[in-house]
Amino acid sequence: MTLRRIGRFIIGLVIAIVLLGLVLPLIGIPKSHFLPPSWVYAKAEKVTGGRIVKVYNPVTNDPFKVGEHMYFIDYVFQAPDPVTGAKQTYNGTVRLTQELYQTSKVDESVPVRYEKTYPWINGVDVADAGLGCGEGSNILSGWLIWVLVSIVMAYIIGQILGKYGVQEDY
């Protein structure tokens, strides 16, 4: 009985994900808002020039790597606002390797790749840099809302499948 419920939930989850993937873009919500930021960044095509505004290397808070440093740069770039189309300034932060960090300087220009429908998903477009760790690019950003919506829909669809699906006599 429990395996049947799990099976119905999984079937409901697949149906919910497909439905959300088809319906949300039709009602005006771009895929960049409900897919994981790393997937969106991998498909981002817009590239613009940015400028490094801060270079820093704090000590890691990982208790297993005491004394090690992390290497970051903060950068700014301009891109069209997805709603109005007017130029807007966006900020970004990206973690670098030590070698790349040592060659980075304040006021140096960097290529920035971003998603045109959601410029908050951005990163430095050079090897060993990539996706930023800012507002929209963060793993704990708005896309998790759609994961929760998918789970709720999967539960509801699973209940409907259980009620109207094939019934067995015990």
Side-chain angles (χ1 to χ4, degrees):
M1 182 131 156
T2 304
L3 286 176
R4 291 184 192 277
R5 287 183 182 169
I6 292 171
R8 286 192 305 260
F9 177 79
I10 291 171
I11 291 169
L13 188 60
V14 169
I15 292 170
I17 289 170
V18 169
L19 281 175
L20 285 175
L22 294 173
V23 172
L24 290 177
L26 292 176
I27 61 172
I29 299 173
K31 289 186 178 187
S32 60
H33 288 262
F34 61 87
L35 291 176
S38 56
W39 293 4
V40 174
Y41 181 73
K43 294 186 183 277
E45 296 176 351
K46 290 293 192 176
V47 177
T48 189
R51 182 176 53 85
I52 297 175
V53 292
K54 185 177 178 184
V55 178
Y56 56 102
N57 64 338
V59 177
T60 181
N61 55 4
D62 185 344
F64 299 105
K65 297 181 180 180
V66 174
E68 288 188 19
H69 287 264
M70 299 180 294
Y71 304 96
F72 294 96
I73 60 169
D74 289 349
Y75 55 93
V76 296
F77 68 100
Q78 288 198 333
D81 181 89
V83 178
T84 64
K87 284 280 188 181
Q88 182 175 337
T89 301
Y90 295 93
N91 299 314
T93 300
V94 71
R95 186 173 178 175
L96 305 173
T97 62
Q98 183 178 5
E99 296 77 27
L100 192 56
Y101 170 81
Q102 290 172 340
T103 62
S104 300
K105 296 173 182 44
V106 174
D107 285 333
E108 182 179 51
S109 61
V110 290
V112 176
R113 184 164 45 129
Y114 66 95
E115 170 56 38
K116 68 180 179 179
T117 61
Y118 198 42
W120 294 274
I121 296 179
N122 60 68
V124 175
D125 197 23
V126 296
D128 297 328
L131 179 62
C133 47
E135 171 186 344
S137 301
N138 199 334
I139 192 70
L140 294 176
S141 58
W143 72 279
L144 288 176
I145 293 169
W146 300 109
V147 171
L148 295 174
V149 169
S150 297
I151 291 171
V152 169
M153 283 180 63
Y155 176 77
I156 293 169
I157 293 169
Q159 293 297 318
I160 292 170
L161 290 175
K163 184 171 182 170
Y164 296 109
V166 176
Q167 300 292 321
E168 293 183 9
D169 292 332
Y170 292 101

